[in-house]
Amino acid sequence: PVSLPFAVGQCGNQVGCRFWDLALREHAAVNKKGIYDESLSSFFRNVDTRSGGDGPDIYKGKICSLKARALLIDMEEGVVNEILQGPLRDVFDSKQLITDVSGSGNNWAVGHKLYGYQYRENIVEKLRKTAEHCDCLQCFFIIHSMGGGTGSGLGTFVLHLLEDEFPEVYRFVTSVYPSGEDDVITSPYNSVLAMKELNEHADCVLPIENESLFDIVNKIHQMINSGKLGSTVKQNSLVTSSAGSTKTVQEKPFDAMNNIVANLLLNLTSSARFEGSLNMDLNEISMNLVPFPRLHYLVSSLTPLYTLADVNVPSRRLDQMFSDAFSRDHQLIQADPKHSLYLACALLVRGNVQVSDLRRNIERLKPSLHFVSWNQEGWKTGLCSVPPVGHSHSLLALANNTCVKPTFIELKDRFMKLYKKKAHLHHYLHIDGMEQSCFSEAVSSLSDLIEEYNELDATKGGPRTDPSRLKIAV
Amino acid sequence: MSIVTVQLGQCGNQIGHEVFNAICSDVHGTHGLCSKKENESYHDACKERFFSEEESEVPVARAVLVDMEPKVISQTLSIAARSGYWKYDDRSHFCQKQGSGNNWANGYSVHGPRHKEVIMNLVQKEAEKCDRLGGFFTIMSMAGGTGSGLGAFVTQCLRDAFPTSFILNHVIWPYGTGEVIVQNYNSVLTLSHLYRSSDALLVHENDVIHKICAQLMKIKQISFRDVNQVIAHQLGSVFQPTYTAEGGLHYSRNPLGDLMETLVPHPEFKMLGLRNIPQMPENSLPYSTFSWPGLIKHLRQMLIANAKMEEGIDWQVRPPQLGFSIPSSHSTNKPMHFNTSIANLVILRGKDMHNVDLGSFRDPSLYTSWLNPQDAFNAWKTPRAFNKYEKSASLVSNSQFLLKPLDNVVGKAWNMFASKAYIHQYTKFGIEEEDFLDSFTALEQVISSYTIL
C-alpha cells in the first residue's frame, strides 16, 4: 500500500529531503538485485526514462528510474531549489512541486487563507495526478513545522483539503512544535491556529520538539567523543547519520536532527513495506492507538540510537532497547510517559527479535507503567523482519499518553501571553478570511483538548470498579 | 472424503502453511513404525483428505488462501513451492492491498460483501475438485481484522452456499497481554458470529502454546513460527487418518462429520479444546519412551484438572463422587476446579494401541448427565506413529476447558465497551453499539450454559 508524503514549508522540506535520501539507502540495502518490488512501490514509482523525460510507469522487473511519490510545497524557493540541484534531483520532477517566491512571513493566515485559496486548484490537480499513479493509496503524511507560516498555515490547509478530496485515505501528520525560545515571536499564534486544524482533520499526529532532537544529537556526540564506547560505533547506524546516503557532508546540526525524524517515518512504515511474522500497517496504528477521535496525539521514541560494531546481541542488550524506549530522554518530545497515563501503546520491532522477546519485555515493563482503567493491557505489537540500516534490531514505540498535556499547556500559555496584549494580531486580521473568532475558536479547541487529558489524568491511580456484566436469564 | 481448508488473514495463512507442512512431513517420514501396507493406506487416506493430484508432480493442497494484504500470501505460496514436497494451487488465493486495519467491522462489513463473489468462486472450485466433499476447515485469529471479521463473513457464506456440509473453525486466541489493543472487541464479535454459522470452534490459545514452547520444547527465543509449528503438530494429530471404529478395516472417510457427531450433540455447546501429549524437542525423542497407561493417565488428569500441558498438572483434583445427589447448578458438591465434560474424543497413534484401557475416560462422573457415557466418549486409533512420536495421544474435548478464557475475553471487552473507547472506529464501518450488545448477549449465554454444566 502506498504512503504519500507531503513536505510543506522549509522545515517540512528539509526533513523530507532527508527522508527520501534515507529511504533510498534503506531500500538499496535490502534490494540487492535492483528489482522493482512491492516494498519499493510504497514510496517510489519506477519510471521508464530511456526515451528522455517522464515515460510510463514500469510495475515489475528491473529498476529503471525511481521517482518519489511526493508533493513538495513551499512558498519560498530556497529549500526546494536546493533539493532540485542536489543529488536527489532525479527523484523528483517539476510536476510534484508547488512553490512561490515570497514566503509566508511566519504568518499562519498568509499560509492558510492567502496561499491556500490561491493554490487550491493547483494542489488538487497535482495531488490527483500523483494519486493516479498509486495502485492503492492508503495514507498521506504531512511533514511540517507548526511555528512558521507555510508549513503551519498551508500545511494545515492541505490537511483539510485531503480530508475533503480523499476522505478514506488516512492522514498522518508529523509536526515540529516550536520551543519556548523559538526566535519566531508569533510561533504560538501559528501553532495554536494549526492545532485546531490538527484536532479536527488529522487521523494521527506525531508531535516532535526540537529540544528533544537536539538533546539526542548531543547525547550521541558525547557518547562518541567520550571514548566510553569500547568498540567503534557503526557510523551508518546512528539515528542522526546520513552515512551511506547521498549526503556526504553533514552540515548543519539540523541535518542530524532531521535524520531522526526521517528515521521515525521509515520505522513507522517498515512493517507495511517489509515482511514479518506480525505485520503492522498504518491503518492498524490508527485503529489501535486512537480510542476517541480527538485523542490522536502519539508520543514517539526510537531505539537504539546507534549500534556498536560487534554483531552478537545478548538478550540483555535487547532488553535495554525496550527499557530505553520508555525513558524520558528517548522521547521525541519533552515528555515523560512513565509518570503519566497511557491510553494505548504500540511497539514496532524490527530485525532479529521474536515474540518471546516482546512478551518478556512487556511483562517486565508493565508494572512500572500506568494504563487507563479500560485498557489495562493496551499493547499493540508488530514484528518486522527487516532491520534498519546498520542495526540488527530496532524499536519504535508510539504512546497515546497524557504526557503530551504539558506541551499543549505551555503552548496555550505562550499564546495567551501574546493574545492578551493583542500583540501582532493586526498582521493576521488584515488577511482576507481572518477574524478574531479564528483565534478564540482555536484556543478554545486547544483548551477542550487539554481538558480531555485532565479528565483522564484524574482517573489515574483511582479505585477500579469494573462495570457489572450483563445478566442472562437461565 | 476431502476437506477444503480456508486460510484467512496473516495468522490463518501462516498456520495453514505449517499444517500442510506437518502433514506432508509426517506422511513422508520413515517413522511410521508399522507395516508397509498400513503406511500406504495411511498415505492414501491422507492424500485424499488434504491434497489433490493434478498435472503437477507434487501434491496440491486443497486450500483457499485469503488475505487483505499481499505480503503473507506471497511468502506462503513461494515457501511452500520451494519445499518440493507439496504446493498450493497458484490460482487458489485472493488478496488485496490495504489490509483490514485490525478492524472487525472493516473485515466483515466492507471487505466481506465486496469480495464475496471472488472468494466463494475460489471455494467452489476447490470443492468441485473433491470427489466427495467432507467439509470445510477455516483457520483464523480472532484478534485482527481479516481473519476475524472477513473470516466470520466467509463462514456465514460457506454455511449459506453449502448448507449440508460440515464447517469447523480453527480459532486462535491471542496472547492475553495484547497483540492488538482492540483484540477483545474483535474476539467477541467473531465468536458470536461464528457460533451462528459454524458447527464447531476448535481453539488454540497463544499463551498456552507459548508455554509449551518454553517449558516442554525448551525453545529459548520463541518465534511465531515455533508457536505455529506446535499448533500444526497438534492439529495434525487430530486430522491425520485414523480408524474410528474398533476393528475397522478402513481409515475413516469422514473426519469432520465424525468429529461433529461425537463431540457436538447440542448446538449451544460448540467450543472444543485440544490437548496433545507428549510434546518435546525433536532431539529428545530417541531417548524417551512412553507407556500408554502413563499417557492415558496424564491425559485424563489434564482433562479433569483443566491443565494446559503435561507439566504442572494438579493431581489433587478429582471427579465428584457419584452416589451423592446429582450436582445441580447451585450445588456445592462439585469439587473446585473440576472440569465437567459434555463429550470427549481421544486419538491414539502408535504401536500397541490396540489394547489400551480407556475405561477411565468412560467414567460417568466426568460427564454431564444428559448423554449416555458410551456416547459421551469415543476413541480413534491407528498403529501408524505420527510425526516421529512413537506414541502420541490427543484429546479433543467439549468441556469447560474454554470457559475461563471466554469469560476473561468477554469481561475485558465489556470493561472497554463501558467506556465506549474505540467504538467510533467500528461505527465508521457500520457496526453499531447494538451489534456489540447482541454479541455480548450471545456470549454471556454461552458462558452461562457452560458454567451450569
Side-chain angles (χ1 to χ4, degrees), chain B residues 122-374:
Chain B
L122 290 176
V123 171
Q124 188 67 42
K125 280 212 184 75
E126 278 300 328
E128 276 162 20
K129 279 196 231 164
C130 306
D131 275 340
R132 284 173 68 202
L133 178 64
F136 299 96
F137 181 59
T138 75
I139 312 180
M140 65 234 275
S141 113
M142 31 180 229
T146 300
S148 72
L150 179 59
F153 185 85
V154 167
T155 303
Q156 215 165 284
C157 295
L158 288 175
R159 174 54 70 217
D160 292 337
F162 300 89
T164 55
S165 289
F166 294 105
I167 301 175
L168 176 66
N169 290 98
H170 179 232
V171 181
I172 300 298
W173 221 261
Y175 286 97
T177 37
E179 300 169 27
V180 169
I181 293 176
V182 291
Q183 63 188 36
N184 297 311
Y185 279 168
N186 292 337
S187 300
V188 164
L189 291 164
T190 303
L191 291 170
S192 58
H193 277 77
L194 288 182
Y195 230 78
R196 286 185 234 157
S197 356
S198 169
D199 288 306
L201 278 59
L202 181 60
V203 174
H204 268 114
E205 299 167 74
N206 272 350
D207 281 302
V208 172
I209 305 296
H210 192 104
K211 275 219 186 81
I212 291 177
C213 286
Q215 292 176 232
L216 301 182
M217 311 297 279
K218 311 271 193 239
I219 302 171
K220 288 266 155 55
Q221 194 188 27
I222 301 166
S223 66
F224 269 113
R225 188 149 174 264
D226 296 317
V227 172
N228 294 343
Q229 285 178 341
V230 171
I231 291 174
H233 172 88
Q234 296 205 346
L235 288 174
S237 78
V238 174
F239 291 110
Q240 284 290 57
T242 53
Y243 298 98
T244 49
E246 201 65 54
L249 293 169
H250 305 286
Y251 278 110
S252 142
R253 306 216 47 212
N254 190 6
L256 287 184
D258 291 337
L259 196 82
M260 302 308 173
E261 206 187 337
T262 57
L263 290 174
V264 189
H266 190 292
E268 183 67 10
F269 299 90
K270 290 181 179 169
M271 308 284 296
L272 306 179
L274 173 51
R275 303 282 183 270
N276 166 261
I277 60 172
Q279 295 252 224
M280 56 177 40
E282 195 175 309
N283 49 24
S284 302
L285 283 173
Y287 309 103
S288 318
T289 44
F290 294 91
S291 69
W292 285 119
L295 288 174
I296 299 301
K297 188 166 170 216
H298 274 75
L299 202 57
R300 182 179 184 265
Q301 194 60 24
M302 284 167 71
L303 168 66
I304 294 173
N306 198 354
K308 309 284 191 179
M309 58 181 189
E310 66 248 50
E311 255 175 44
I313 302 176
D314 184 353
W315 290 94
Q316 301 298 322
V317 179
R318 293 254 181 280
Q321 300 277 42
L322 283 188
F324 285 86
S325 54
I326 295 170
S328 71
S329 53
H330 304 296
S331 154
T332 50
N333 277 352
K334 209 163 250 159
M336 290 289 276
H337 310 305
F338 173 73
N339 179 48
T340 308
S341 302
I342 294 168
N344 288 309
L345 167 66
V346 164
I347 303 169
L348 303 177
R349 299 178 184 274
K351 47 189 238 177
D352 307 325
M353 40 84 252
H354 289 292
N355 299 314
V356 177
D357 180 9
L358 291 164
S360 60
F361 272 99
R362 294 199 174 88
D363 180 355
S365 65
L366 268 53
Y367 299 94
T368 61
S369 52
W370 8 293
L371 286 181
N372 275 325
Q374 296 99 283

Side-chain angles (χ1 to χ4, degrees), chain A residues 67-103:
Chain A
K67 299 276 184 209
R69 301 185 194 276
L71 281 181
L72 279 59
I73 304 177
D74 202 355
M75 295 295 99
E76 278 175 333
E77 291 183 309
V79 178
V80 175
N81 277 346
E82 210 185 295
I83 296 174
L84 293 180
Q85 283 152 24
L88 290 178
R89 60 181 165 276
D90 292 325
V91 173
F92 303 104
D93 67 51
S94 58
K95 293 196 226 85
Q96 295 169 269
L97 314 173
I98 297 164
T99 56
D100 203 312
V101 283
S102 14

